[in-house]
Amino acid sequence: MAELALEDDTIWYRTIGDGPPLVFIHGGWMNGEAWAPQIDHFADEYQIVTLDVRGHGNTGATAPDRYSIELFTDDLETLLSRLEIERPILCGLSLGSMVVQEFLNRHPASAAAAILGGAVRSMPPVELPTGMKQLWTPIPALTTSLSLSGTTGTFQSMLYSIQATTGERWLSVDPEIRAEAIADVGDISSAEFRKIFDALYRYDPPELTGVETPTLVVHGEQEAPLVKRQGRQIVSSVADGDRLELSESGHLVNQDRPSAFNAATTEFLDDLSAA
């Protein structure tokens, strides 16, 4: 991995292969290795770029007291500038999909394409007025849970709540993938967990109505219904959007159904090249 020096800290990233730039942004409380099935598949044809977002993976804790999706997007812009990438294909999962949406809102026609796995616009996946979010913030309860149960226990409680609401396995249909995701959470400190959660919760999603970048939204069959609805909203907002739902998969759709996810991405990008 390589280091990207910022004004306030350092971000770790990885590049492999040559060709059109394909940039992957992982989900919350994960790291760049979450894209391993895609790295292995696409590295022969593309310049693959992954990064560990602040608070995650090798990057770990960074100096700011608060994180935001906007800050994560600033970091992505800095990385693309450092690597002299002007027309990236952006692929984001969950939190990473928010970062991609923020980038697209800032640069409506600068990316060559966007693939959004487990795409979500806000947390919770119901867009609430900013004032109501501030009034009913879950951060105090989260802080208590972190002090009592740690990051792993708190994350598992969140998973149980979602599963109870949706009736689905949600995060992943594969016990091993689910266990690996939970183990990654255990490597994150309580302070960083809270900062990441706060960034997700406070994000005010853009409308995306001016975005011209061709965009593919991919959800798992067992994704939360409200998240699927937000995915349909993304597709209807951008100028050129499409949506795919993969069976036998949950929120971590790129890991649950790697071959199908890779095939859908390949077909989407090949169609753009042909056009």
Side-chain angles (χ1 to χ4, degrees):
M1 297 191 76
E3 293 181 314
L4 172 68
L6 304 171
E7 290 184 2
D8 56 3
D9 237 300
T10 299
I11 298 290
W12 285 83
Y13 70 94
R14 177 188 180 194
T15 62
I16 183 173
D18 295 304
L22 178 54
V23 183
F24 292 99
I25 306 101
H26 60 76
W29 305 292
M30 303 179 75
N31 56 67
E33 291 302 313
W35 295 107
Q38 286 66 53
I39 296 169
D40 293 342
H41 182 81
F42 289 105
D44 289 340
E45 297 183 41
Y46 292 87
Q47 177 193 7
I48 302 297
V49 180
T50 63
L51 71 155
D52 287 353
V53 175
R54 291 174 188 260
H56 300 77
N58 286 292
T59 296
T62 60
D65 293 332
R66 299 185 81 173
Y67 293 152
S68 67
I69 300 299
E70 292 83 357
L71 176 61
F72 298 154
T73 309
D74 292 343
D75 294 341
L76 173 62
E77 290 177 334
T78 302
L79 177 59
L80 294 177
S81 177
R82 168 69 65 84
L83 297 176
E84 299 182 343
I85 293 174
E86 296 182 352
R87 292 280 292 169
I89 302 164
L90 299 175
C91 189
L93 177 76
S94 193
L95 176 149
S97 80
M98 289 182 171
V99 174
V100 173
Q101 290 171 68
E102 180 65 23
F103 183 94
L104 296 180
N105 186 60
R106 297 181 186 185
H107 312 282
S110 293
I115 301 101
L116 307 179
V120 62
R121 286 176 50 77
S122 62
M123 190 178 77
V126 177
E127 294 174 28
L128 303 172
T130 302
M132 183 177 294
K133 274 197 166 185
Q134 293 174 345
L135 182 63
W136 298 104
T137 175
I139 297 300
L142 178 75
T143 301
T144 299
S145 177
L146 288 168
S147 66
L148 295 175
S149 304
T151 56
T152 300
T154 297
F155 186 69
Q156 288 177 316
S157 294
M158 291 168 57
L159 296 184
Y160 294 146
S161 297
I162 296 171
Q163 185 171 340
T165 301
T166 64
E168 305 285 3
R169 284 173 284 181
W170 184 68
L171 182 66
S172 172
V173 300
D174 187 321
E176 291 186 7
I177 292 173
R178 181 185 178 93
E180 289 176 4
I182 293 172
D184 286 339
V185 175
D187 293 333
I188 297 174
S189 72
S190 293
E192 293 300 296
F193 187 105
R194 185 167 51 248
K195 288 159 67 175
I196 296 162
F197 182 97
D198 187 52
L200 289 163
Y201 183 75
R202 288 189 295 108
Y203 186 53
D204 186 14
E207 294 297 327
L208 300 178
T209 50
V211 171
E212 300 176 7
T213 301
T215 301
L216 174 66
V217 170
V218 185
H219 281 131
E221 178 186 30
Q222 297 200 31
E223 180 61 85
L226 289 175
V227 174
K228 291 182 183 180
R229 186 173 74 175
Q230 288 198 332
R232 290 190 289 269
Q233 183 180 352
I234 293 169
V235 170
S236 65
S237 296
V238 301
D240 184 3
D242 198 3
R243 181 176 176 272
L244 175 66
E245 184 171 312
L246 297 180
S247 63
E248 300 178 10
S249 53
H251 189 59
L252 305 183
V253 61
N254 69 303
Q255 296 184 59
D256 276 349
R257 294 288 307 280
S259 295
F261 186 93
N262 294 345
T265 299
T266 298
E267 181 179 359
F268 174 64
L269 296 178
D270 286 349
D271 287 347
L272 292 179
S273 297

